[in-house]
Amino acid sequence: MTLFEKLAGNFENLIAKGTLKLGDKMPSIRTVSKEYGVSKNTVIQAYLLLESRSCIVSRPQVGFFVCLKEDQRLPMPQASSPSINGAPGKEDGLIGKVFSNFVNKSITQMSLSVPDESFFPVARLNKCLQTATKTLAAGGTGYDDIQGNLRLRKNVSKWSFTWGGNLGADELVTTSGAMHAISLAFMALTKPGDRIGVESPVYFGILQLAKNMGLKVVELPTDPEFGVLPQDLEELIGEIDICLLVSNFNNPLGSCMPDENKKSVVELLTRYNVPLIEDDLYGDVYFGASRPKPCKAFDTEGMVLWCGSVSKTLAPGYRVGWMAPGKFIKSILKLKLFHSISSTTVTQEAIGLFLENDYYEKHLRQLRATLYSNSLHFIRAIADYFPKGTKISRPQGGFVLWVELDKKWDTGKLFDKVLSRGISIAPGRMFTLQSQFHNCLRLNYGLPWTDKLEQELKLLGQILKE
Amino acid sequence: MTLFEKLAGNFENLIAKGTLKLGDKMPSIRTVSKEYGVSKNTVIQAYLLLESRSCIVSRPQVGFFVCLKEDQRLPMPQASSPSINGAPGKEDGLIGKVFSNFVNKSITQMSLSVPDESFFPVARLNKCLQTATKTLAAGGTGYDDIQGNLRLRKNVSKWSFTWGGNLGADELVTTSGAMHAISLAFMALTKPGDRIGVESPVYFGILQLAKNMGLKVVELPTDPEFGVLPQDLEELIGEIDICLLVSNFNNPLGSCMPDENKKSVVELLTRYNVPLIEDDLYGDVYFGASRPKPCKAFDTEGMVLWCGSVSKTLAPGYRVGWMAPGKFIKSILKLKLFHSISSTTVTQEAIGLFLENDYYEKHLRQLRATLYSNSLHFIRAIADYFPKGTKISRPQGGFVLWVELDKKWDTGKLFDKVLSRGISIAPGRMFTLQSQFHNCLRLNYGLPWTDKLEQELKLLGQILKE
């Protein structure tokens, strides 16, 4: 046995005994080399061997993490199969119930779809806010340009190069978060009775907004790994007037459409003159080697309204978002003016400054590593504690997991049960307007990983086993 | 002749010669007493005599101002008489044209409806913003409560005592400015085809939003002094499903409904089950002895949706507004959540702190004095330079004036003419959807009063006389 094989065996033991747990970051090459008195090259060879055995996984620019052996993995849920003219499920007040506990700090909020505040670069943002009051005329008290803060638009434009985007600042409109962008897009493109195609399951806010505006929601079959498949969309193209996709790390599934699917989908929709609203607010939080492209990257005719924000990566409370509305920009600008005049000047400038100073990439690198590690911790804990037969999604980005329990479960009732134990989960039925997903739930793993959290997942598992 | 009569005669001379001009603040009682070697009492008697002769006017807590002698006054415009099923005027792109010059600093922006930035307490607001990042958890990066920042709501509630309001913090919802509040109210209360009664003329943003949402706008006859009269509204009550009034210092007229009219209007609307959206964002900028009550003060059934903001008094760029939506609060909260989740956390907290620390009253006292003085300067200059037959409104608050020119004028064309001379005005046709007010314009006197401004009003007059 060579030295590096011995070293690898050593680590494999530590993993087997649970000293190194799923999701833990492996010690750095330099540390191991020092500790074990071996060359760095030996450590690298050992790590590569462990990777080939699926014991650890490397994340570019971050390091190696303990990962799941294939045989330990829980299965993934099947692709969803909503009915096309599905009868709406009955109004159950679930969303109100979940949101009413939203600000309660004593509850572990696994139900929210935002990373914990402790992951945000608060000191740096405070500083940017302070600088913004100096760089702006009259401290930012004046109305902003209707199209939005120029520094922010310039930097979002620059940032779009990370996915090969080539957006000019004049193609972007700032908004008060991504939901505001979607709301503007709905107002610009739809009238009551129009049919909108969306993933199923999908973020409940989108469903509620569409329903509230009198749209007919067409839920599309959605794969937990690849999102909406082009062939499924093609089959249903006659049923929809407009489409909305969370193309990268869909909330709640974590699915990500492959590039070639995105291209096919944009071509298909363009051919049928169906505008695509793309909610890409999780795209920057990827676990792979590079940022997945949005559908917008394949948009040649201005049919894609690309929407983003910093609400999931920096500061939801700043209400800073944007959209590149393609050929619909004029109506979007008009609507923004009519409904709210302009966005908050000072927080837009602060985020513009944050992006301009390259703080964003550094922050994201850290955030991605933490979230990736957390996702593995959660998957391992669920595999350890939840009943057999549980299925979970495998998000390659974002911070939410989709869990499918045995058919007998009603997660609406489970919500009440676990809330009384200080844990909040998001029941599956929130993410559909039809009567489905009653045995599913969404968990937010964007929380600091602690023993308490592990114990709470254990408790969840115990309740499920009772 | 007594000493105080002599002194008064002295000042009357200075006014007649133009040394003291309309809108100028009279020297303080202490200064005059020192300068002329007379007792303070003598000065007071002299000032009271001048007031009885309509040469000066006292403003509580501020001082005395040179005012207009009755015989110098230009007449007021007549009450408007829009047609009830008025054919819409043709789309003329005026609003776009006026707004496209909005950020051009080299143009004198008499067309805007916001006081000049130099009137805002910028340093104090910066300080509050900085404090807000400390008083808020995680520097205000987190989502705000959906109903809105508690400190802000508590202080708006407290502030409502200035008009005898008795609003609890739990009756208030914060918004991103007053237009956002109106947009939420429209969404909650109307469907396309509904008929909405509004003043005529009225702020174009309200008209455009209503039109865009498919509402049928019913323009109501409006008196330039007293707004919509109860008897006029009663006559038309069958023609409207919902009503929106800018009860205090309507933009663009400056009209203010008397208390008894407000009471009658609320009773009338309640009797006919017509909700009233009240846009009260100018109410704090009064020139009289006390703040005029809003219609909300007479609302016993929760039928009035009272909307306000700090956009006209402190910081439009902060996008901080609020509403007390009466019995419609549940749908408003739902819509706020669906369309934008929450408002900007940190600017709401900053304004909450500003109000809490009693800075607001001090600031308003100064702002009111400046704006009142400016209104007199403008009225005097218009009387001096504009052609005979010009009519002007007499705002008792706010910062906009309504000017009616000879019938032959088209202020849409005048806009182009004066823009080339570096002045922007707001043509009357912007403030109606019908074909009327082509010979009217709105002027913003919320600009620092300077010789340049006087010369520009003179130039306007010359162009009108050509």
Side-chain angles (χ1 to χ4, degrees):
Chain A
M1 218 191 247
T2 63
L3 192 56
F4 77 85
E5 282 170 332
K6 262 192 206 158
L7 188 59
N10 224 326
F11 279 116
E12 218 164 3
N13 262 336
L14 289 176
I15 292 170
K17 280 194 285 175
T19 313
L20 279 170
K21 278 191 179 144
L22 183 67
D24 281 350
K25 201 176 161 198
M26 294 292 286
S28 75
I29 289 159
R30 180 200 302 251
T31 310
V32 180
S33 149
K34 243 175 164 177
E35 201 104 337
Y36 287 76
V38 297
S39 76
K40 281 186 192 172
N41 209 28
T42 306
V43 186
I44 292 171
Q45 280 184 290
Y47 276 13
L48 290 177
L49 182 63
L50 285 168
E51 196 173 19
S52 76
R53 289 177 187 167
S54 299
C55 292
I56 66 172
V57 64
S58 89
R59 289 293 151 186
Q61 300 177 303
V62 179
F64 289 83
F65 292 87
V66 180
C67 75
L68 233 42
K69 286 213 173 187
E70 277 308 321
D71 57 353
Q72 293 180 303
R73 289 194 179 182
L74 291 176
M76 280 239 237
Q78 298 273 309
S80 69
S81 51
S83 67
I84 291 321
N85 288 297
K90 61 176 188 301
E91 188 59 60
D92 49 19
L94 265 179
I95 298 172
K97 217 154 74 173
V98 174
F99 262 84
S100 67
N101 290 289
F102 168 40
V103 285
N104 189 336
K105 297 280 174 202
S106 70
I107 289 169
T108 303
Q109 300 283 0
M110 297 195 210
S111 57
L112 294 185
S113 67
V114 64
D116 191 74
E117 288 172 351
S118 63
F119 295 161
F120 295 141
V122 173
R124 188 73 86 180
L125 285 167
N126 284 350
K127 196 95 189 183
C128 287
L129 205 56
Q130 213 179 320
T131 309
T133 62
K134 286 167 197 153
T135 51
L136 289 164
T141 53
Y143 282 117
D144 191 26
D145 178 76
I146 293 151
Q147 186 154 3
N149 181 284
L150 188 59
R151 193 190 301 273
L152 177 62
R153 285 189 286 128
K154 274 186 182 165
N155 281 286
V156 172
S157 145
K158 216 175 80 183
W159 188 256
S160 76
F161 290 135
T162 57
W163 48 263
N166 198 10
L167 297 169
D170 56 335
E171 294 174 74
L172 290 159
V173 180
T174 71
T175 62
S176 303
M179 268 319 286
H180 181 218
I182 293 172
S183 150
L184 289 173
F186 279 10
M187 289 196 266
L189 299 174
T190 71
K191 51 181 192 316
D194 280 357
R195 303 158 307 167
I196 183 166
V198 298
E199 288 131 343
S200 182
V202 74
Y203 170 57
F204 58 87
I206 291 168
L207 295 172
Q208 294 301 322
L209 182 64
K211 191 176 144 190
N212 190 273
M213 290 180 71
L215 305 183
K216 188 182 171 307
V217 174
V218 178
E219 298 189 31
L220 305 167
T222 307
D223 183 89
E225 197 169 359
F226 306 119
V228 171
L229 305 178
Q231 57 269 37
D232 289 337
L233 189 62
E234 186 151 20
E235 208 163 295
L236 294 167
I237 193 76
E239 306 290 332
I240 61 173
D241 303 302
I242 186 172
C243 192
L244 185 154
L245 296 174
V246 188
S247 48
N248 296 321
F249 321 124
N250 159 293
N251 169 3
L253 285 175
S255 60
C256 184
M257 293 170 71
D259 273 8
E260 59 275 21
N261 289 12
K262 284 172 180 151
K263 192 163 180 283
S264 307
V265 160
V266 172
E267 282 169 3
L268 173 71
L269 292 172
T270 303
R271 199 157 65 242
Y272 285 89
N273 201 27
V274 175
L276 172 62
I277 302 168
E278 181 175 39
D279 188 7
D280 188 25
L281 77 171
Y282 310 104
D284 289 337
V285 194
Y286 54 87
F287 302 152
S290 65
R291 191 199 193 285
K293 283 185 164 60
C295 293
K296 184 72 184 172
F298 305 101
D299 179 27
T300 53
E301 309 295 322
M303 287 291 281
V304 179
L305 299 95
W306 176 70
C307 308
S309 83
V310 295
S311 297
K312 306 305 175 187
T313 53
L314 288 177
Y318 278 27
R319 309 312 298 127
V320 172
W322 52 79
M323 63 196 301
K327 67 180 187 184
F328 308 101
I329 190 163
K330 275 196 180 164
S331 12
I332 292 291
L333 281 172
K334 225 187 223 179
L335 284 161
K336 185 182 171 194
L337 171 64
F338 293 163
H339 284 268
S340 60
I341 305 183
S342 62
S343 307
T344 308
T345 311
V346 74
T347 51
Q348 286 186 79
E349 176 85 356
I351 297 297
L353 287 163
F354 194 94
L355 294 178
E356 192 169 277
N357 286 290
D358 286 334
Y359 302 141
Y360 197 38
E361 181 51 40
K362 278 172 217 157
H363 163 67
L364 282 177
R365 216 176 294 157
Q366 180 61 47
L367 181 67
R368 284 177 206 131
T370 309
L371 291 176
Y372 174 63
S373 164
N374 277 13
S375 78
L376 297 182
H377 284 306
F378 262 68
I379 290 171
R380 192 261 314 148
I382 291 168
D384 282 356
Y385 305 128
F386 280 36
K388 265 195 184 157
T390 300
K391 296 173 183 173
I392 42 173
S393 64
R394 285 298 173 288
Q396 289 307 304
F399 40 84
V400 292
L401 259 178
W402 185 247
V403 182
E404 188 181 310
L405 303 172
D406 186 278
K407 281 279 175 207
K408 72 169 186 247
W409 275 101
D410 178 342
T411 49
K413 285 181 188 146
L414 182 67
F415 173 84
D416 296 325
K417 213 166 191 166
V418 302
L419 188 70
S420 67
R421 310 291 287 266
I423 305 167
S424 173
I425 57 165
R429 274 200 329 243
M430 287 168 69
F431 305 94
T432 176
L433 293 178
Q434 301 182 12
S435 181
Q436 53 176 341
F437 308 135
H438 64 276
N439 59 325
C440 300
L441 60 124
R442 187 193 68 183
L443 293 179
N444 172 13
Y445 55 80
L447 301 170
W449 182 251
T450 58
D451 283 347
K452 182 169 172 275
L453 201 53
E454 166 125 24
Q455 288 312 311
E456 285 171 330
L457 286 169
K458 192 171 176 181
L459 179 64
L460 261 180
Q462 277 165 358
I463 291 171
L464 289 172
K465 280 174 179 167
E466 268 162 20
Chain B
M1 218 190 242
T2 64
L3 192 57
F4 77 83
E5 282 170 332
K6 261 193 208 159
L7 188 60
N10 224 325
F11 278 117
E12 218 165 0
N13 263 334
L14 290 174
I15 293 170
K17 279 194 284 180
T19 313
L20 280 169
K21 279 189 180 145
L22 183 68
D24 280 350
K25 202 177 160 198
M26 294 292 286
S28 75
I29 288 159
R30 180 200 301 251
T31 310
V32 179
S33 150
K34 243 179 166 172
E35 200 107 337
Y36 287 76
V38 296
S39 76
K40 281 186 192 167
N41 208 29
T42 305
V43 186
I44 291 171
Q45 280 184 289
Y47 277 14
L48 289 177
L49 182 63
L50 285 169
E51 197 174 17
S52 75
R53 290 179 186 163
S54 299
C55 290
I56 66 172
V57 63
S58 89
R59 288 292 151 188
Q61 298 177 305
V62 179
F64 290 83
F65 292 86
V66 180
C67 76
L68 232 42
K69 286 212 174 186
E70 277 305 321
D71 57 354
Q72 294 180 302
R73 287 193 179 180
L74 291 175
M76 281 240 237
Q78 299 272 308
S80 68
S81 51
S83 65
I84 292 319
N85 287 298
K90 61 177 189 298
E91 186 61 59
D92 48 20
L94 265 179
I95 298 172
K97 218 155 73 172
V98 173
F99 262 85
S100 67
N101 289 289
F102 168 42
V103 285
N104 189 335
K105 295 281 176 202
S106 69
I107 288 169
T108 302
Q109 301 283 358
M110 298 195 210
S111 57
L112 296 185
S113 67
V114 63
D116 191 74
E117 288 172 352
S118 61
F119 296 161
F120 294 141
V122 173
R124 187 74 84 178
L125 285 166
N126 284 351
K127 196 93 190 187
C128 287
L129 205 56
Q130 215 180 321
T131 310
T133 62
K134 285 165 197 154
T135 52
L136 290 164
T141 53
Y143 282 117
D144 191 25
D145 178 75
I146 292 150
Q147 186 155 3
N149 181 285
L150 188 59
R151 194 191 299 274
L152 177 62
R153 285 188 288 127
K154 273 186 182 164
N155 281 285
V156 171
S157 146
K158 217 175 76 182
W159 189 256
S160 76
F161 290 135
T162 58
W163 47 264
N166 199 10
L167 298 170
D170 57 334
E171 294 174 72
L172 290 159
V173 180
T174 71
T175 62
S176 304
M179 268 319 286
H180 181 218
I182 293 173
S183 149
L184 290 172
F186 279 10
M187 289 195 266
L189 299 175
T190 72
K191 52 181 192 314
D194 280 357
R195 302 159 306 167
I196 182 166
V198 297
E199 287 132 343
S200 181
V202 74
Y203 170 57
F204 57 87
I206 292 168
L207 295 172
Q208 295 300 323
L209 181 64
K211 190 176 144 190
N212 190 274
M213 290 181 72
L215 306 184
K216 187 180 170 308
V217 174
V218 178
E219 299 189 30
L220 305 167
T222 308
D223 183 89
E225 197 169 358
F226 305 119
V228 170
L229 305 177
Q231 57 268 38
D232 289 336
L233 189 62
E234 187 150 19
E235 208 164 294
L236 294 167
I237 193 76
E239 306 289 332
I240 61 173
D241 303 302
I242 186 173
C243 192
L244 185 153
L245 296 174
V246 189
S247 48
N248 296 321
F249 320 125
N250 159 293
N251 169 2
L253 285 176
S255 59
C256 183
M257 292 170 72
D259 273 8
E260 60 274 21
N261 290 12
K262 283 171 181 151
K263 193 163 180 282
S264 306
V265 160
V266 172
E267 283 169 4
L268 174 71
L269 292 172
T270 304
R271 201 158 63 243
Y272 284 89
N273 202 27
V274 175
L276 172 63
I277 302 168
E278 180 176 38
D279 188 7
D280 188 24
L281 78 170
Y282 309 104
D284 288 337
V285 195
Y286 55 87
F287 302 152
S290 66
R291 191 199 194 283
K293 284 185 163 63
C295 293
K296 185 71 183 173
F298 305 100
D299 179 28
T300 53
E301 308 294 323
M303 286 291 281
V304 179
L305 299 95
W306 175 71
C307 307
S309 83
V310 295
S311 297
K312 307 304 176 186
T313 53
L314 289 177
Y318 278 27
R319 310 310 301 125
V320 171
W322 52 78
M323 65 196 301
K327 66 181 188 183
F328 309 101
I329 190 163
K330 275 196 179 162
S331 11
I332 293 290
L333 281 171
K334 223 186 223 180
L335 283 162
K336 185 183 170 191
L337 171 64
F338 293 164
H339 284 268
S340 60
I341 304 181
S342 62
S343 306
T344 308
T345 312
V346 74
T347 51
Q348 287 186 80
E349 176 85 355
I351 296 297
L353 288 162
F354 193 94
L355 294 178
E356 193 169 276
N357 286 290
D358 286 333
Y359 301 143
Y360 198 37
E361 181 51 39
K362 278 173 216 157
H363 163 67
L364 282 178
R365 216 176 293 156
Q366 180 62 47
L367 181 67
R368 285 178 205 131
T370 308
L371 291 176
Y372 175 63
S373 166
N374 278 13
S375 79
L376 296 183
H377 284 307
F378 262 69
I379 291 171
R380 194 261 313 148
I382 291 169
D384 282 356
Y385 304 128
F386 280 37
K388 265 193 182 160
T390 300
K391 295 172 183 170
I392 42 174
S393 63
R394 286 296 174 291
Q396 289 307 304
F399 40 84
V400 292
L401 259 179
W402 185 246
V403 182
E404 188 182 311
L405 304 171
D406 186 277
K407 281 279 175 207
K408 71 173 188 246
W409 275 102
D410 177 343
T411 48
K413 285 180 188 146
L414 182 66
F415 174 84
D416 296 325
K417 212 165 192 166
V418 302
L419 188 69
S420 67
R421 311 291 288 267
I423 305 166
S424 173
I425 57 165
R429 275 199 328 244
M430 288 168 69
F431 304 94
T432 177
L433 293 178
Q434 301 182 12
S435 182
Q436 54 174 343
F437 308 135
H438 66 276
N439 60 326
C440 300
L441 59 124
R442 187 194 67 184
L443 293 179
N444 171 12
Y445 56 79
L447 301 170
W449 182 252
T450 59
D451 283 348
K452 182 168 171 276
L453 202 52
E454 166 124 24
Q455 289 311 311
E456 285 171 330
L457 286 170
K458 192 171 175 180
L459 179 64
L460 262 179
Q462 277 166 357
I463 292 171
L464 289 172
K465 281 176 178 166
E466 268 161 22

